[in-house]
Amino acid sequence: WPSAFAPRDIPWPGSVAMAWMNGLKSTAIVIGCWLSGPVLLAVWTGIFMLRMDWMSFLVVPAYLVMFKLPDWKLRSSFWLAVGLLTAASRDPWRVAFSISVAIFASPVILDFRLPSWPGYLPFMEAGFKDFTARCELKGLDKAQQERTVFAFHPHGAISFGFTVNGLFDSQFLGKSKKITFLIDDFLRNGNPIFRLLCDAYEAETRQIASAEKSTVHRLMAEGSNVALVLGGFEEATVCATGKDRAVVKSRKGIVKYCLQYGYKLQPVYSFGEDETYHFAQGLLDFRLWLNRFKIPAVAFFGNPILAGTESPR
């Protein structure tokens, strides 16, 4: 399916400001929730590095160990142990670290789930659609209600096409009896604020789930539709402003699953994704190597006048 979006061409300043504010609220919610977890860990790592404290090497590993524990009792016990150790050191910075992470990550530690919010989809959709002059899907008449994998391309900086033309497009959602959007496991379950955003999004006919192998098998065995950004980190890495690039050749696993479960593999391509941000180039081979370890390796920036949001191109 070709899909397209382009920033609104607005003739007068008042409507420019209004459209930007409406688009900004939706964009800020998604990007803010996405960045909140990594930024907190990065800030504490930086603080300990400036203090020449060996704790800088433990901030991220400690959090990842906690996240991987199978239930809330073990996660709570683990972080309580971290808190007691930092308290025993009598270092106020270490104590502040353990307390701030305990509060911020409480949804992850305690396995707290936010109830579904029915108004969330129209609220977000209205903002995104008002921000763009064209944001439409073509080929919806060919969509099947069940047993389809919607493979979105390209990834871009923040998967804007996947978000706007998939997650928050009521027309697209209406073509499936039930659809699950698959994203990175840590983003879905380990990033505290983004986790709550995903919880609020869920409804009887839609959900956001981890792209773990077991989850994919379970969903496809049920026959429900699935959507994902097929190119993953690698496709984000190869992005270049003004150039359409996709990573497909190495994605044989999903093709195997489609054959195994009798699914249709439906490409969904968002034209204009490459123009939403400016992408830094260089060191491509090294950045692709980092992707093997599930490390994002893309640098991008938006319009500085519009608080770094999508470039008005």
Side-chain angles (χ1 to χ4, degrees):
W1 293 348
S3 62
F5 48 84
R8 182 186 294 273
D9 184 16
I10 301 172
W12 59 285
S15 56
V16 170
M18 182 62 68
W20 174 62
M21 289 302 297
N22 286 338
L24 181 63
K25 67 185 180 185
S26 297
T27 303
I29 288 172
V30 173
I31 297 179
C33 292
W34 169 48
L35 291 176
S36 58
V39 166
L40 178 67
L41 297 180
V43 166
W44 276 113
T45 299
I47 289 173
F48 288 129
M49 288 181 68
L50 290 174
R51 300 181 70 243
M52 303 297 287
D53 191 330
W54 55 267
M55 275 289 292
S56 61
F57 298 105
L58 298 180
V59 170
V60 174
Y63 188 88
L64 292 178
V65 168
M66 179 274 294
F67 164 62
K68 287 296 183 180
L69 293 173
D71 61 64
W72 71 270
K73 293 180 181 178
L74 289 174
R75 290 192 292 271
S76 300
S77 299
F78 177 83
W79 207 257
L80 177 60
V82 171
L84 293 174
L85 288 172
T86 56
S89 70
R90 297 185 179 181
D91 186 320
W93 287 99
R94 294 181 182 180
V95 173
F97 157 70
S98 63
I99 294 175
S100 64
V101 173
I103 295 171
F104 179 80
S106 57
V108 177
I109 296 173
L110 301 176
D111 200 21
F112 173 75
R113 298 286 177 179
L114 199 67
S116 175
W117 175 29
Y120 183 54
L121 174 62
F123 173 81
M124 296 291 285
E125 183 177 16
F128 284 128
K129 295 298 170 64
D130 194 45
F131 186 65
T132 53
R134 290 183 60 202
C135 186
E136 59 190 26
L137 279 165
K138 297 180 181 179
L140 277 172
D141 56 312
K142 301 177 183 178
Q144 297 179 173
Q145 289 194 326
E146 295 179 301
R147 296 193 174 279
T148 301
V149 171
F150 297 103
F152 279 77
H153 296 279
H155 185 289
I158 59 169
S159 299
F160 194 67
F162 178 70
T163 303
V164 176
N165 292 323
L167 277 163
F168 296 110
D169 190 294
S170 53
Q171 274 191 302
F172 176 75
L173 295 170
K175 291 296 181 177
S176 300
K177 285 186 177 180
K178 183 173 184 179
I179 185 166
T180 300
F181 294 89
L182 299 177
I183 62 174
D184 178 71
D185 180 48
F186 181 81
L187 183 61
R188 174 60 183 93
N189 296 308
N191 191 331
I193 307 301
F194 199 89
R195 172 192 176 108
L196 298 180
L197 180 150
C198 295
D199 292 341
Y201 176 83
E202 289 191 13
E204 186 177 347
T205 58
R206 65 179 186 269
Q207 65 177 337
I208 302 173
S210 162
E212 294 289 285
K213 184 177 179 180
S214 59
T215 304
V216 176
H217 279 292
R218 176 177 57 79
L219 292 169
M220 296 182 83
E222 295 172 356
S224 59
N225 284 352
V226 172
L228 74 164
V229 182
L230 191 59
F233 288 152
E234 290 83 358
E235 197 165 87
T237 299
V238 302
C239 278
T241 307
K243 296 181 179 180
D244 287 293
R245 294 175 174 176
V247 174
V248 180
K249 290 184 179 180
S250 59
R251 297 299 190 265
K252 300 181 179 68
I254 196 67
V255 177
K256 175 184 175 183
Y257 297 155
C258 287
L259 292 171
Q260 180 178 345
Y261 291 101
Y263 267 62
K264 176 183 178 181
L265 183 58
Q266 177 68 66
V268 185
Y269 198 92
S270 295
F271 292 96
E273 180 81 58
D274 57 298
E275 296 185 354
T276 53
Y277 286 92
H278 297 280
F279 298 90
Q281 301 297 296
L283 301 174
L284 181 59
D285 290 340
F286 174 69
R287 291 188 290 129
L288 287 171
W289 177 78
L290 289 176
N291 292 158
R292 297 180 185 178
F293 305 98
K294 304 297 182 182
I295 300 174
V298 57
F300 59 91
F301 58 96
N303 191 303
I305 299 176
L306 303 182
T309 56
E310 292 84 3
S311 300
R313 295 167 62 87

